[in-house]
Amino acid sequence: MTARHRAPGRVAVHLLLWGYAVVALLPLVVMVRNTLVVTCGAVLLGTAVSALAAYPLARYDFAGNRVLGAYFLAGLMLPIRLGLVPIFYLMDSMGLIDSLLGLTLLYAASGVPFCVFVLSAFYRSLPGELDEAARLDGAGEFRIFGQIMLPLVRPALASVMLFQFVPLWHEFLYPLVLLRSDERFTIPRGLSQLFGEYTTDWSALFAGLVLATAPLFVLFVLAARQIITGMTAGMSK
């Protein structure tokens, strides 16, 4: 048989193999999208709330400041896993069981105490002359926060976002408890389905582990400079 006659057969085989690969990897790809949506949404929401909460705690002296600071600090002392049962009933009463939105809100709230604690320290390290000069120039409080203070703590924002992202990406307990539908599974929850009592789908498991690790590697490469800057910013003061 000539090469010209063998070419259509090769094309058909390649198309068949690629089609099988797409069908086999589709559940894993869906889980990666679910995990990205939940994790990125939670990190962005939690960081935004924390940046807004930490700024007045660090830069203003008002009644209840210390109490609010202690309240956020207490959140670091209580692991979120201790609240599994009440959180489940709360989510159930709000209709957020088997919902990516409910999982996103839960994750965002769990990261707020740590982010407030770190960002407050960075806000306090900024000289008071910056906002005083901005007020003399007629800048409002929201403009001072958004255009002066927030850019100066950008390395800290990158650091807290990374420290939230990694554990949330691998979180298994709450997806196990709150998610029921296969199409809403995150990567850790979905990979657990590959372990059977008597058999384990090792090929699909290893493919899923590669997909689970790749985004973290890309994140570290892209954010390495900001992370190092954020972690060493306090050493030069």
Side-chain angles (χ1 to χ4, degrees):
M1 185 179 294
T2 64
R4 180 180 300 178
H5 291 89
R6 289 198 299 265
R10 287 184 178 180
V11 172
V13 171
H14 280 265
L15 290 176
L16 181 63
L17 292 176
W18 277 108
Y20 173 76
V22 170
V23 173
L25 292 176
L26 186 59
L28 296 176
V29 173
V30 171
M31 286 188 291
V32 172
R33 288 169 185 169
N34 286 342
T35 310
L36 280 174
V37 169
V38 171
T39 306
C40 292
V43 168
L44 292 175
L45 179 59
T47 304
V49 171
S50 302
L52 290 169
Y55 178 68
L57 286 175
R59 305 294 293 187
Y60 296 96
D61 188 13
F62 58 90
N65 186 303
R66 294 182 180 275
V67 175
L68 285 176
Y71 176 76
F72 283 112
L73 188 61
L76 292 173
M77 304 176 186
L78 299 175
I80 189 174
R81 289 172 176 80
L82 292 179
L84 180 63
V85 174
I87 287 175
F88 176 84
Y89 284 114
L90 176 64
M91 291 291 184
D92 189 34
S93 65
M94 299 172 65
L96 293 177
I97 297 295
D98 197 25
S99 167
L100 295 181
L101 175 61
L103 195 61
T104 301
L105 295 175
L106 174 62
Y107 284 171
S110 68
V112 168
F114 170 75
C115 294
V116 169
F117 176 75
V118 174
L119 292 177
S120 296
F122 272 81
Y123 281 130
R124 291 191 187 99
S125 68
L126 300 177
E129 291 81 4
L130 290 175
D131 42 359
E132 292 176 3
R135 291 189 185 95
L136 291 176
D137 289 338
E141 297 302 323
F142 286 102
R143 185 178 178 185
I144 295 173
F145 169 74
Q147 296 185 6
I148 299 176
M149 297 298 173
L150 203 58
L152 291 175
V153 297
R154 185 172 57 184
L157 291 174
S159 298
V160 297
M161 290 176 73
L162 178 69
F163 280 108
Q164 290 178 90
F165 190 94
V166 174
L168 294 182
W169 184 266
H170 295 295
E171 168 63 29
F172 173 72
L173 179 61
Y174 277 99
L176 175 65
V177 173
L178 299 179
L179 299 180
R180 308 290 174 80
S181 304
D182 293 352
E183 63 272 13
R184 294 187 178 89
F185 281 174
T186 58
I187 290 176
R189 179 68 176 90
L191 292 180
S192 68
Q193 299 292 103
L194 301 178
F195 290 94
E197 184 177 359
Y198 301 106
T199 60
T200 299
D201 191 349
W202 293 107
S203 59
L205 177 62
F206 287 132
L209 292 175
V210 171
L211 289 176
T213 306
L216 295 180
F217 176 77
V218 174
L219 179 64
F220 271 102
V221 171
L222 295 178
R225 183 176 179 181
Q226 292 291 336
I227 295 165
I228 295 172
T229 304
M231 295 180 69
T232 59
M235 297 181 182
S236 61
K237 296 188 180 297

